Amino acid sequence: HKPMRFKVTAMSQSKSHWASINEDLVTHLKHSIPIRPPLVVFEPMHHLTFAAPETTAPALCIAACELVGGRREEAMAAASALHLIHAAYYAHEHLPLTDRARPKPKINHAFGPNIELLTGDGLVPFGFELLARSNDLTAQDNSDKILRVITEIARAAGPQGVIDGQYCNFLYTQSNWKDSSQVEMIKRVSEKKEGELHACAAACGAIVGGGSEEEIEKLRKYGLYVGMIKGMLYGIGRNYEKCLVKEEVDKLRTLALNELRDFNNGVELEAISSLVEAELCNA
Amino acid sequence: HKPMRFKVTAMSQSKSHWASINEDLVTHLKHSIPIRPPLVVFEPMHHLTFAAPETTAPALCIAACELVGGRREEAMAAASALHLIHAAYYAHEHLPLTDRARPKPKINHAFGPNIELLTGDGLVPFGFELLARSNDLTAQDNSDKILRVITEIARAAGPQGVIDGQYCNFLYTQSNWKDSSQVEMIKRVSEKKEGELHACAAACGAIVGGGSEEEIEKLRKYGLYVGMIKGMLYGIGRNYEKCLVKEEVDKLRTLALNELRDFNNGVELEAISSLVEAELCNA
């Protein structure tokens, strides 16, 4: 069965493509956040940056940049900022506050809550600093592109994006939802949390990679669907029966792949589309 | 006593100058953070933006812009971002975490800790978004200036600025300092917290107002000294005898006024220098 074998090869190529993207990203982050004085600040920063579980948004940003013909390093600052914001919010989501139940799953805290709160507060501006300074690293002036990316990331990370999703998530855990509205709530939280972040990540990758406005918008939508699938399967949706959201996930997968129809650069396209294919294998 | 009367008039002119700056800033912030859907997000955002006590950094940013010949509205986005970051950190400083004593002074919490944590997290990217978007509001392309201001504000708000100061403050409250090192610690925390923020505020005002590099650096130093005085008198230093820091404050005041020597635009200079003069009246 030759076609089958080709499929397997493509899948494993995609896997190694993602692995190489993530490796480069980690190298870049380690370089950007060295353990340097003041140690009392940079040690917890370094630790919490890598303590957060990997999220696909930064890698998607890089993959989208490559898909539109950009070079990997052009997306590195935006991908790093996205990871730092994710790490900051992850730390804050797991803070023991007096008015909420101990976060689950229980995670290992290397530092006290006060330091983790402060470190999260430090990671966000640090991400924007990396991004704003990235203009000085290139020969040409990209300030317009970078300002656009800052606007995109700030909006997705802010009160109309991830923060809105976290509010909804919080309200959700406080109330009892009937079965009929449960899927809607899971969908809404996933759209705002993982969805907005992945949409922004893919759009930013396309922006820095020099994609056309049409490509940027297609990749934004692709990212939105990818993020929503992630949220519905592994985010807020992870505590529910997979069959509850299966129908929605199937619809989103079709919508996602539709957005990629007009792209046709072999390896990059295989890699990026494998994001939603792999999801479904697990579901 | 004519000179005396002139002095009084100048002081009251300065007062009304600051009052008008702060009034314009509040108007701008109210306009930028309307109470709009999602209400569950924007109501606490609006509330916490104005619940934080007034700080002089945003007003100093506007005054520095005017001092170098810029127009007030050119500094409005930077001043707003500075205020939003201050408001976010103020909310986070007063969160009841399980591992720290109840913050003092006790403040009135309109929302639960979880919402206040999230709202603080939302205010910071929102500030960067306002700033990044401000380029679209003007006829000319200021993207280079705005990127520079974003870098400045992100650095001052991050792990090498205010966050470093907050870490030190936290360590400070956990240990016993001997009298001899107490002043040094108060000085260090004030330098990092209020100092860096005011330095950045004044520098950013000068940048957006079109000041020369020399003017930017003079105003940055002026801001640093102003902020340090604030911190030593009303920040971490407020719990100590004023006489403990009086000598340092006197030195800083002289250094501060020295930086203003080469500026000579009447009303604006009176206003900006009144910041350190008023401090000493209260001390």
Side-chain angles (χ1 to χ4, degrees), chain A residues 40-41 45 89 92 99-100 113-115 118-119 121 125 129 132-133 143-144 147 151 154-155 159 166-167 170, chain B residues 40-41 45 89 92 99-100 113-115 118-119 121-122 125 129 132-133 143-144 147 151 154-155 159 166-167 170:
Chain A
V40 73
V41 178
M45 258 186 72
Y89 288 177
H92 282 186
D99 78 332
R100 66 181 177 192
N114 206 350
I115 294 295
L118 279 177
T119 305
D121 281 344
E129 187 191 340
R133 270 198 353 231
S143 48
D144 283 337
L147 268 186
T151 308
R155 188 177 296 150
Q166 291 188 324
Y167 272 103
F170 177 63
Chain B
V40 75
V41 177
M45 261 187 67
Y89 287 177
H92 282 186
D99 79 330
R100 68 180 178 194
N114 207 350
I115 294 296
L118 279 177
T119 306
D121 281 344
E129 187 192 339
R133 269 197 354 231
S143 48
D144 284 336
L147 267 187
T151 307
R155 188 176 296 149
Q166 290 188 324
Y167 271 103
F170 177 62

Side-chain angles (χ1 to χ4, degrees), chain A residues 57-109:
Chain A
L60 175 59
C61 174
I62 294 171
C65 170
E66 292 182 327
L67 185 66
V68 300
R71 284 172 297 112
R72 192 172 285 190
E73 52 277 28
E74 291 177 300
M76 227 25 116
S80 298
L82 287 164
H83 179 83
L84 293 171
I85 288 165
H86 158 71
Y89 288 177
Y90 182 81
H92 282 186
E93 262 188 303
H94 291 82
L95 280 180
L97 290 172
T98 52
D99 78 332
R100 66 181 177 192
R102 288 273 159 168
K104 282 172 199 172
K106 225 170 161 268
I107 63 164
N108 180 37
H109 292 275

Side-chain angles (χ1 to χ4, degrees), chain B residues 71-94:
Chain B
R71 283 173 298 110
R72 190 170 287 189
E73 51 277 28
E74 291 176 300
M76 226 26 116
S80 298
L82 287 164
H83 179 82
L84 293 170
I85 288 166
H86 157 72
Y89 287 177
Y90 182 82
H92 282 186
E93 264 189 302
H94 291 83

Side-chain angles (χ1 to χ4, degrees), chain A residues 95-255:
Chain A
L95 280 180
L97 290 172
T98 52
D99 78 332
R100 66 181 177 192
R102 288 273 159 168
K104 282 172 199 172
K106 225 170 161 268
I107 63 164
N108 180 37
H109 292 275
F111 300 94
N114 206 350
I115 294 295
E116 296 200 347
L117 171 66
L118 279 177
T119 305
D121 281 344
L123 286 171
V124 175
F126 191 74
F128 285 109
E129 187 191 340
L130 283 184
L131 205 43
R133 270 198 353 231
S134 67
N135 192 43
D136 307 336
L137 307 175
T138 55
Q140 69 202 116
D141 180 21
N142 287 320
S143 48
D144 283 337
K145 268 189 200 172
I146 294 174
L147 268 186
R148 187 169 168 191
V149 167
I150 292 174
T151 308
E152 292 272 355
I153 294 182
R155 188 177 296 150
Q160 290 180 284
V162 179
I163 297 295
D164 184 15
Q166 291 188 324
Y167 272 103
C168 292
N169 201 347
F170 177 63
L171 294 178
Y172 184 63
T173 56
Q174 288 195 317
S175 357
N176 291 314
W177 294 85
K178 293 187 207 108
D179 275 353
S180 61
S181 62
Q182 224 171 37
V183 176
E184 281 313 303
M185 196 59 188
I186 292 174
K187 206 173 149 187
R188 171 152 170 68
V189 170
S190 301
E191 181 186 336
K192 284 296 171 181
K193 278 183 78 174
E194 291 87 352
E196 293 266 349
L197 205 67
H198 283 75
C200 156
C204 288
I207 291 168
V208 294
S212 68
E213 289 305 316
E214 203 189 335
E215 288 175 322
I216 294 167
E217 294 315 313
K218 276 183 196 299
L219 282 165
R220 184 194 303 283
K221 280 191 194 149
Y222 179 74
L224 176 70
Y225 302 136
V226 169
M228 286 179 76
I229 293 174
K230 294 272 170 194
M232 294 177 85
L233 292 179
Y234 312 114
I236 189 172
R238 74 177 177 281
N239 302 318
Y240 297 88
E241 288 296 328
K242 292 268 184 282
C243 62
L244 193 69
V245 295
K246 190 178 179 315
E247 199 183 323
E248 287 292 337
V249 168
D250 282 341
K251 267 192 250 170
L252 290 168
R253 177 184 179 251
T254 309
L255 289 169

Side-chain angles (χ1 to χ4, degrees), chain A residues 255-266:
Chain A
L255 289 169
L257 290 173
N258 241 338
E259 296 296 333
L260 296 183
R261 260 186 331 194
D262 299 335
F263 293 95
N264 46 16
N265 356 3

Side-chain angles (χ1 to χ4, degrees), chain B residues 192-246:
Chain B
K192 285 297 172 180
K193 279 182 77 174
E194 291 87 352
E196 292 267 347
L197 205 67
H198 282 76
C200 156
C204 288
I207 292 168
V208 295
S212 68
E213 289 306 315
E214 203 189 335
E215 287 174 322
I216 293 167
E217 293 316 314
K218 277 184 197 298
L219 282 165
R220 184 194 303 283
K221 282 192 193 150
Y222 180 74
L224 177 68
Y225 303 135
V226 170
M228 287 178 76
I229 293 174
K230 294 271 170 196
M232 295 177 86
L233 293 178
Y234 312 114
I236 188 173
R238 74 176 177 281
N239 302 318
Y240 297 88
E241 288 295 329
K242 291 269 185 283
C243 61
L244 193 71
V245 295
K246 189 180 180 313

